[in-house]
Amino acid sequence: MPTNFTVVPVEARADGGQDEAAGGAEAAGGAEGTEAPGPPEGEPDCQSPGDGNPRENSPFINHTEVEQESFEGKNMALFEEEMDSNPMVSSLLNKLANYTNLSQGVVEHEEHEDDSKRREVKSPRMGTFIGVYLPCLQNILGVILFLRLTWIVGAAGVLESFLIVFMCCTCTMLTAISMSAIATNGVVPAGGSYYMISRSLGPEFGGAVGLCFYLGTTFAGAMYILGTIEIFLTYISPSAAIIQADTAEGEAAAMLHNMRVYGTCTLVLMAMVVFVGVKYVNKLALVFLACVVLSILAIYAGVIKTAFDPPDIPVCLLGNRTLSRRGFDVCAKFLAADNSTMPTALWGIFCNSSMPNATCDEYFAQNNVTEIQGIPGVASGVLLDNLWSAYADKGAFVERKSTPSVPVPEESRASGLPYVLTDIMTYFTMLVGIYFPSVTGIMAGSNRSGDLRDAQKSIPTGTILAIVTTSFIYLSCIVLFGACIEGVILRDKFGEALQGKLVIGMLAWPSPWVIVIGSFFSTCGAGLQSLTGAPRLLQAIARDGIIPFLQVFGHGKANGEPTWALLLTALICETGILIASLDSVAPILSMFFLMCYMFVNLACAVQTLLRTPNWRPRFRYYHWALSFLGMSLCLALMFICSWYYALFAMLIAGCIYKYIEYRGAEKEWGDGIRGLSLNAARYALLRVEHGPPHTKNWRPQVLVMLSLDEEQRVRHPRLLSLTTQLKAGKGLTIVGSVLEGTYLDKHVEAQRAEENIRSLMGVEKTKGFCQLVVSSSLRDGMSHLIQSAGLGGMKHNTVLMAWPESWKQEDNTFSWKNFVETVRDTTAAQQALLVAKNVDLFPQNQERFSDGDIDVWWVVHDGGLLMLLPFLLRQHKVWRKCRMRIFTVAQVDDNSIQMKKDLQMFLYHLRISAEVEVVEMVENDISAFTYEKTLMMEQRSQMLKQMQLSKTEREREAQLIHDRNTASHSVVATRTQAPSTPDKVQMTWTKEKLIAEKYKNKEPGMSGFKDLFSLKPNQSNVRRMHTAVKLNGVVLSRSRGAQLVLLNMPGPPRNRQGDENYMEFLEVLTEGLDRVLLVRGSGREVVTIYS
């Protein structure tokens, strides 16, 4: 035992320079030892013991070059042989302490130019406030708050708007709780929600939800760009519109075209900025955040100011209808000047001339023009008017219900009149879909987990605080908007009654431009960040390799910048921009985000309910009920927003899921779905009864016995092909094999053999399990498999094996003794047995029989398995076009006509279509050939076991035995018998030989045969041989050209001394048939005529 031990990595073993040190250690310490060389130049000498690393100097060894901590080798000598695979704890802790996890994004791109920086261990510096709270705040507060929240309050009323916001904020809060539990259950690398979902729910769910999250982020970029252009064209520079409308009706369409043109240009510009350098986007993030914060503060300051000094913002009403300040300045019909009244510009719009006696619009003539304050202030009591909803159809007038008006008959709304009309139909569920994107962005903190000082503390705290803050802002804004702003102004989406000014901007203090400019830059920045984050998310999915066709998007520039992913993101984003309507794009991304959040909640609920040992989140304030409530709320919100969008999003996710399941790479991430499957399997196994199932539930649960060659490859792959073709019954399949030896010596070969079998199962598309046993003998191993394969109630009931073709050869590993004992084992275990003879002639799964017969020879009834197997085979494409024929054997005293009718009726009740034929076997005397064959069989039972005998050699040796036998018993037989011919000495029998034998028996010289027969072979063997010969002749006469022949397999003799004779009987029985499946039922019924 070496007293000074150091594990040395192979690549670190130097060019012999350590021999002297080793020798010195040997001389001084009196024990053998080898030392590790020093670290390569340029690398820090900070490695730890236990894994081939330098150790401290030992005071007990007089050598200056001995490395650090060599005395630990003495202290840990008990574990020295395992240190190369199991490092010491100090080594493990050192590696964990030096672990760094840079966020996926700009950091590694900036460090690409200097490779040495990558080796430096950087301690992340960001805390909760900077790293999580502010990014979440910036992502949550955005375009909807500035452009749509006032309109939502006006349409839904304060109460329903409060409900909308409360539902959405509750949804994100519950999701944040679930996300915090997942994020604190170990280190979360960059990748955010995709990483959490995929590692918690598996590659199928992870890929599907990851792509949905990617699409949501991409469409969010389109929404932010559309919001930016809407602010620019509507509130900053309306004159910049490229496409002008000729009429008022065409303004909406012209606006959409302008949005498409400007949006596409903006998208190209933003994509170029992201392509050139992501670090510029990250550096501008603080500016964008400042814009958001200043805008929020300006809103609150404006609300406070309205309490004592409301702004003077007049709104013109005609009756109770709101008028757009377009084409007139004075809100009156007449204007008094110089003791006279003059019609105003408004009169000229509604009347056909400016004269007082002109013909005017009927509603204009019947109703007065009034002017009200658009923002009366908090103390005005307008909150009570805005409590209830005011949903309207598309094109409806924006009306103030409390103002009296004179109704007029239904009119054709004249074009050009300056009414404020609703542009889309409003209803509760639609507003939910438009509003929900304003609460997304809660994943911003988890996406930066690599940059945080303590991610497991910062992510829950920062995310939940950000949601609480933004929820308070949204809920308070709803109440304050309803309390400060007149209802008609709230419902005026584009501020037409305010001369095209932003409604929320008119409330802000000190200037509306604070909101306009702030919202413009914040939406612009949010769009840039979406275009930055989405390609990296796609790149992370592509690099995981779970979706093969996306792998091209895992590549990019030399520094890792996802160029191709950015291109695809821009193209998808362009589709959102071509929609051009913010109100139409918002529900689309709501679906994708809601689906993502739903699966985050599901992941937490599954992990909590499964109680997996590795589920130990540091965040304690979670519960499966909260996660389940969050999941249910997400699902409900999806269908509340838009049921057809929800179904479409689920269809996309379902298609991706099935694609990954079918074509994707196999990944084992220890995810919850695998754990759920294990739990479900355990529950189902405990529920499955241990006894035999009911006949109606019976299906072949197959144990396939494979034999392996010296290189652990399968000898008969076609046996697995047959198994696959039989699996129309969808039962259990266990593929078993036995290696001879001890497990300690053979475990490497066993692993290799198992890999080969699994590979072949994949090629043959055999769905099942592989079970390989190492045993001291093949016989014991096969017995163990038959006894113990399977688990609980899921055990095999049928054994499938190949016929041992070379059973007569002495060196055959799978000898006839093993085969017969296996037959006995299956009988004792009450299991069915299928033996495929000439298995290498069976068809592969790719072959197709265009015609042919499957012949069933039903001799004895042992459960009906013979009927069921052809039916199952014909479900597979290989055998689908084959006809099924059933033959049964009638004895002399049987009524064959009645037997045929009964059999046809039986098959009719079994719902199996097949041709039926009853074959009569005429009783006749046992032929001399049968006697001779039986005698030869008994005498040569121990002499035909030489290795690889050719047919000629086998015939020659058989003839020698026969000649010796006849010479010793009868001189007459030798004199009258013809020269030896191969036919006479064949081991097996054919019809032609029997006929020839009968004629020979009539020739003179019968006394020779009488002498031969006087040896009196075993009469039981003679009867069995007679049955085999007769039955083989009948089968050959009917089924020589059949594609497959199924035969009842007789059982082995009770007397074990006749086992080899049993093999000979089976050989004779199946002689001359290409594909034979010998079937031995378990004795219990497997088919029933009852439903």
Side-chain angles (χ1 to χ4, degrees), residues 176-443:
I177 291 172
S178 299
M179 183 195 72
S180 300
I182 298 174
T184 58
N185 188 50
V187 179
V188 178
S193 59
Y194 162 68
Y195 182 90
M196 288 189 290
I197 295 170
S198 60
R199 268 55 177 183
S200 297
L201 290 180
E204 295 89 0
F205 277 111
V209 180
L211 277 184
C212 286
F213 190 56
Y214 163 73
L215 291 173
T217 309
T218 305
F219 276 102
M223 184 187 73
Y224 291 131
I225 291 173
L226 290 174
T228 304
I229 303 306
E230 184 176 311
I231 293 171
F232 178 73
L233 289 179
T234 308
Y235 307 115
I236 296 179
S237 178
S239 60
I242 297 174
I243 301 168
Q244 301 291 340
D246 298 331
T247 60
E249 284 78 10
E251 285 183 357
M255 180 67 177
L256 293 180
H257 290 313
N258 284 313
M259 298 274 281
R260 293 183 180 104
V261 173
Y262 275 97
T264 302
C265 296
T266 307
L267 173 63
V268 171
L269 184 63
M270 286 184 174
M272 289 176 63
V273 170
V274 172
F275 178 77
V276 169
V278 186
K279 55 185 177 182
Y280 302 115
V281 178
N282 284 270
K283 288 176 180 176
L284 288 173
L286 196 59
V287 177
F288 300 142
L289 177 61
C291 292
V292 174
V293 174
L294 288 176
S295 300
I296 300 293
L297 294 177
I299 292 171
Y300 282 111
V303 169
I304 295 171
K305 182 176 178 293
T306 61
F308 54 86
D309 184 17
D312 182 23
I313 302 174
V315 176
C316 191
L317 299 180
L318 174 60
N320 63 359
R321 298 177 184 175
T322 312
L323 295 180
S324 171
R325 290 273 184 173
R326 185 177 65 233
F328 68 95
D329 295 325
V330 180
C331 184
K333 293 182 180 182
F334 297 98
L335 186 63
D338 298 333
N339 296 324
S340 63
T341 57
M342 295 178 56
T344 60
L346 190 61
W347 180 276
I349 293 172
F350 280 91
C351 301
N352 58 2
S353 73
S354 59
M355 302 301 294
N357 58 354
T359 303
C360 297
D361 179 79
E362 186 175 358
Y363 189 83
F364 181 78
Q366 296 287 338
N367 290 276
N368 295 324
V369 177
T370 55
E371 196 170 54
I372 61 171
Q373 283 297 321
I375 303 180
V378 177
S380 64
V382 75
L383 177 64
L384 296 176
D385 297 331
N386 293 330
L387 280 178
W388 311 109
S389 62
Y391 299 123
D393 293 331
K394 180 179 181 180
F397 298 106
V398 175
E399 298 176 336
R400 187 173 187 254
K401 301 295 184 183
S402 59
T403 301
S405 67
V406 179
V408 296
E410 192 64 31
E411 58 196 303
S412 60
R413 291 167 184 171
S415 61
L417 297 182
Y419 289 121
V420 178
L421 305 175
T422 56
D423 62 334
I424 57 173
M425 185 172 73
T426 53
Y427 45 92
F428 179 81
T429 57
M430 186 266 292
L431 295 180
V432 174
I434 291 176
Y435 172 75
F436 187 81
S438 65
V439 295
T440 60
I442 61 173
M443 302 289 184

Side-chain angles (χ1 to χ4, degrees), residues 9-147:
V10 176
E11 63 271 14
R13 300 186 78 89
D15 42 11
Q18 63 181 9
D19 293 342
E20 294 178 6
E26 242 183 1
E32 295 180 2
T34 56
E35 296 299 322
E41 189 174 346
E43 289 190 12
D45 187 2
C46 59
Q47 295 172 319
S48 301
D51 52 356
N53 300 320
R55 298 172 184 272
E56 198 172 346
N57 289 331
S58 170
F60 305 103
I61 298 178
N62 186 19
H63 197 280
T64 57
E65 293 181 7
V66 177
E67 303 290 341
Q68 300 179 12
E69 297 179 7
S70 60
F71 59 88
E72 284 193 16
K74 297 179 181 178
N75 296 339
M76 296 296 159
L78 186 61
F79 302 96
E80 62 186 10
E81 292 184 358
E82 300 176 3
M83 284 189 185
D84 53 348
S85 58
N86 300 339
M88 291 183 61
V89 174
S90 56
S91 170
L92 176 68
L93 294 177
N94 184 45
K95 289 178 181 176
L96 291 177
N98 290 336
Y99 176 77
T100 180
N101 182 17
L102 299 175
S103 66
Q104 180 184 4
V106 66
V107 181
E108 65 267 27
H109 304 322
E110 291 178 349
E111 291 182 354
H112 173 72
E113 290 139 8
D114 188 2
D115 289 338
S116 63
K117 290 183 182 178
R118 292 190 175 191
R119 298 195 187 99
E120 296 176 10
V121 176
K122 294 184 178 180
S123 57
R125 293 298 178 189
M126 282 200 285
T128 302
F129 186 74
I130 298 294
V132 181
Y133 180 76
L134 290 182
C136 285
L137 208 67
Q138 180 184 359
N139 278 266
I140 295 173
L141 299 171
V143 61
I144 301 294
L145 170 65
F146 299 120
L147 296 184

